[in-house]
Amino acid sequence: MKWMKKVFWVLLAVFVGFLLYLGGMIFYASSTDYVPEAVEIPQLHGEAIKSSVPDTLNFLNWNIGYCGLGEESDFFYDGGELVRTPEAWVDKNAEGIREYLRSLLGETDFYLLQEVDVEADRSNNKDQMKFISEGLNAYVSAFAPNYKVGYIPIPLTEPMGSVLGGLGMWSKYYPGKTSRHAYEGNYDWPTYLFFLDRCFLQMRFPTSHGKELVLINTHNSAFDDGSLKAAQMAMLREVILAEYALGNYVIVGGDWNQYPPHYMGVGEMGLRKDQQDEKLFVSPQFLSLDWTWAFDSEVATNRSLISPYDPDTTKTGIIDYYLLSPNVELLEVKTDDLDFAYSDHQPVRLKVALKGKAKEENPE
């Protein structure tokens, strides 16, 4: 029976070791947890035009997937296997993303990017804000962290490690004010210690009409039961209605992690039954009909990460788009089909015109 006692003590030691490891991770995460203020002021980098913005403006919105989720990638949290992306893949994606952004310099006033890593094990600790900024001369930039965790211990066989990533914005015009706004709501303890602290990044610009352009870059919750999205959307609605009531021009772009109202699928493809859950949509009652949801219904903006990209089998949809206040006229919106070469999302371009007279009365 001696061998049974040895097995018992070995199993006990393993169990106790696991508990100590788990407790240590939770203690470390608790002691280093990033707890942002409701509103924070990011540092600005670079030079830009210091004047009011023109009436016709061009935007680009793109979740770049921390340069780690190109066409060859899957992701463990979506049912795939990849945790940390090989350095060669990260470099390939980063170069492709920067060159694409540079190719649109002459026709883009604002870049709104999500999932930009500054220092993260999952993307080989490359500063992507700096790398992208080196290709965007004469733009001012700001960064708002939404994923700041000292050590993520999952999966146990290959932990994600440390992450510092978030939202990046680049503007051809110098903003009057830039601010990071923490979204309300979070996961329960201890899960929230290892998940994102969602936020939106806002820039304000003077216009020739005596009102401000309020530009918002958002990245809403993905892996939740719908309650976090609802809380975030309620907060965003309150903010943008208050701005519009003041007569300001409001443009929101980002990765909403939900379909726009009345979304029916990409091109001729209808939604599958597993895509028709109302929690996956922005409610048609979210805002009045004079607000515009701007998206290109012909080209998908996001793909499944359960396996590498296959144009014939990979599930896709549209969760990246813009929201325009009634005093902003939609001129064009177009998703550039890059076949998900550099990210699991596709870039969405927008052209708008600020109407000559900003609406003064309360839109509600």
Side-chain angles (χ1 to χ4, degrees):
M1 293 294 182
K2 288 183 178 180
W3 69 271
M4 293 185 65
K5 289 183 179 181
K6 288 183 179 181
V7 170
F8 170 77
W9 286 111
V10 169
L11 292 176
L12 181 61
V14 171
F15 179 69
V16 171
F18 175 75
L19 290 180
L20 290 174
Y21 171 78
L22 185 62
M25 287 298 97
I26 293 176
F27 174 79
Y28 175 73
S30 298
S31 62
T32 60
D33 184 35
Y34 170 53
V35 184
E37 299 291 333
V39 179
E40 296 180 346
I41 307 301
Q43 187 175 357
L44 296 176
H45 298 275
E47 298 296 328
I49 299 170
K50 295 182 178 179
S51 71
S52 61
V53 298
D55 285 351
T56 302
L57 295 165
N58 292 277
F59 304 79
L60 184 139
N61 171 45
W62 195 8
N63 181 330
I64 64 170
Y66 56 88
C67 301
L69 299 174
E71 59 189 342
E72 58 279 285
S73 297
D74 56 22
F75 185 57
F76 82 100
Y77 213 84
D78 289 82
E81 298 179 355
L82 185 67
V83 180
R84 299 189 186 187
T85 307
E87 185 173 7
W89 294 5
V90 172
D91 291 345
K92 180 269 292 185
N93 295 331
E95 289 286 351
I97 289 167
R98 187 170 74 171
E99 286 310 303
Y100 167 80
L101 298 177
R102 280 175 54 83
S103 72
L104 298 173
L105 277 175
E107 53 188 291
T108 307
D109 299 296
F110 307 96
Y111 294 93
L112 286 68
L113 305 186
Q114 304 87 41
E115 291 196 31
V116 185
D117 275 358
V118 171
E119 187 175 7
D121 291 333
R122 64 183 181 177
S123 54
N124 297 279
N125 294 295
K126 304 288 181 76
D127 187 342
Q128 295 166 2
M129 282 294 300
K130 180 180 178 181
F131 182 77
I132 291 172
S133 294
E134 289 171 351
L136 301 181
N137 295 324
Y139 283 72
V140 64
S141 67
F143 172 75
N146 69 1
Y147 206 1
K148 189 175 181 180
V149 180
Y151 190 80
I152 301 170
I154 58 171
L156 292 177
T157 55
E158 187 187 3
M160 282 186 65
S162 65
V163 176
L164 173 55
L167 308 176
M169 289 178 71
W170 286 260
S171 170
K172 189 181 291 186
Y173 302 90
Y174 208 88
K177 183 179 180 181
T178 302
S179 50
R180 177 199 188 277
H181 298 255
Y183 272 128
E184 299 171 356
N186 212 329
Y187 292 92
D188 294 331
W189 185 92
T191 304
Y192 76 81
L193 298 173
F194 305 102
F195 270 69
L196 289 82
D197 295 282
R198 298 286 183 174
C199 68
F200 65 81
L201 179 58
Q202 176 180 277
M203 285 184 173
R204 310 176 73 94
F205 303 89
T207 72
S208 61
H209 305 292
K211 299 298 180 178
E212 289 185 304
L213 166 64
V214 180
L215 178 59
I216 293 174
N217 182 2
T218 186
H219 189 187
N220 299 75
S221 289
F223 304 105
D224 76 288
D225 61 2
S227 60
L228 292 183
K229 287 190 188 73
Q232 293 162 8
M233 293 296 286
M235 175 183 171
L236 183 61
R237 181 179 185 275
E238 182 178 350
V239 168
I240 63 177
L241 285 178
E243 293 292 348
Y244 180 53
L246 294 173
N248 291 328
Y249 302 91
V250 181
I251 298 175
V252 186
D255 173 2
W256 301 75
N257 270 311
Q258 52 198 316
Y259 303 132
H262 306 295
Y263 172 67
M264 299 299 292
V266 181
E268 300 297 324
M269 297 176 61
L271 289 171
R272 305 182 308 273
K273 288 185 178 180
D274 63 332
Q275 293 178 304
Q276 296 176 9
D277 187 337
E278 65 178 15
K279 294 194 295 294
L280 301 177
F281 291 79
V282 176
S283 169
Q285 285 74 48
F286 180 70
L287 288 167
S288 58
L289 293 177
D290 50 356
W291 287 72
T292 301
W293 297 95
F295 61 96
D296 180 353
S297 62
E298 297 301 314
V299 182
T301 71
N302 175 246
R303 73 167 179 93
S304 166
L305 283 167
I306 196 171
S307 61
Y309 179 62
D310 182 332
D312 296 323
T313 62
T314 300
K315 296 178 181 179
T316 62
I318 294 176
I319 60 174
D320 309 86
Y321 44 89
Y322 300 87
L323 173 62
L324 316 177
S325 57
N327 49 7
V328 178
E329 180 183 359
L330 171 62
L331 300 179
E332 183 180 11
V333 61
K334 182 180 186 298
T335 299
D336 285 343
D337 192 351
L338 306 183
D339 289 323
F340 300 100
Y342 311 120
S343 172
D344 59 321
H345 292 252
Q346 307 240 65
V348 185
R349 290 191 280 157
L350 173 76
K351 184 176 183 178
V352 303
L354 307 182
K355 296 181 181 178
K357 185 177 180 181
K359 188 171 182 178
E360 299 285 351
E361 66 269 21
N362 190 320
E364 293 186 287

